[in-house]
Amino acid sequence: MPLSSRLAPPPALGKDAPAAPPAAPRPTPASSLDIYQGDPNFMTSLARGLIVIQAFTQQSPQMTISQLSVKTGLSRAAVRRCLYTLTKLGFAGAEDGQRYSLRPRMLSLSHTYTTSSTLSTSAQPVLERMSSTFRESFSVATLDGDDIVYIARTQVASRVMAVDLHIGSRLPAYCTSMGRVLLAYLPPDQLEQYLARVDLIPHTTRTITTVDKLRLALRSVRRLGYALVDQELEVGLRSLAVPVYAPNGRVVATVNLSGNAPRLPVFDMQTHFLTPLRNAATEIGSFLR
């Protein structure tokens, strides 16, 4: 090839040059409702109201109609109607008439679940006894979509970590000990679907961020019967979890111990807490019969 050809500048982009493909629209909570279009039994208005409720978080406890519209993907008119209804029923309100927030009455919804759930009501006293005995924080969670949801929890005040956890808190399953347990015992087809869609965000330098490594970690959980996650969600946070079995042999929940990594060495967690955790899981599971 002649030197002049190799050094020739690239052709200028003209009006006939192909345009860059438009960026794919970012999915929003509202877009998840598209699959239900045409379903006569699906209450879209109720679904929109639930989307608005779930938009409020610890990081965004107060939002305007415009902010909620952007965050949810719903129109301003739809958000306004949802907030109007929630306000009339006492579940939301706006002190200044612009920035809305949830009201304490919202707690009645979670209380209804915790008092009607056999798993939650049976687990709480078991965790409280464990916490009183060992002076550590214990939790029970179930899998909801790609997250774990805390349904029972005790926390020792002097052991509080940066992560503020309570009943109803959600955390990604892939980087938590309870999530690893629940994922490890999923039916194979459901696990493969999860691995195909999960976004493995690195929360710390220790977080597993490849599907192959996560798959190996889950196999280890099934082989050992427990999951120990060392500072993958938060630096300094170490946790140990075991499965809770239903009478039919299906894993329906998980119970864990979490605490400060320097104070809870891996060996101590395995030797001092694994058996008590398994005993607690068996006791909780017995209430499901």
Side-chain angles (χ1 to χ4, degrees), residues 227-249:
L228 196 154
V229 172
D230 189 5
Q231 306 179 75
E232 293 191 42
L233 175 67
E234 176 191 341
V235 174
L237 180 62
R238 182 174 290 147
S239 61
L240 176 70
V242 299
V244 175
Y245 292 92
N248 61 4

Side-chain angles (χ1 to χ4, degrees), residues 103-124:
R103 291 290 183 258
R105 190 172 185 182
M106 192 62 66
L107 293 172
S108 64
L109 301 181
S110 62
H111 179 70
T112 299
Y113 169 78
T114 55
T115 55
S116 62
S117 168
T118 302
L119 188 59
S120 179
T121 55
S122 62
Q124 192 63 40

Side-chain angles (χ1 to χ4, degrees), residues 205-225:
T205 56
R206 293 173 176 259
T207 308
I208 288 179
T209 56
T210 68
V211 170
D212 287 342
K213 289 184 178 180
L214 179 57
R215 196 189 301 275
L216 288 175
L218 297 180
R219 288 174 183 168
S220 177
V221 171
R222 292 202 65 134
R223 184 178 72 255
L224 298 173

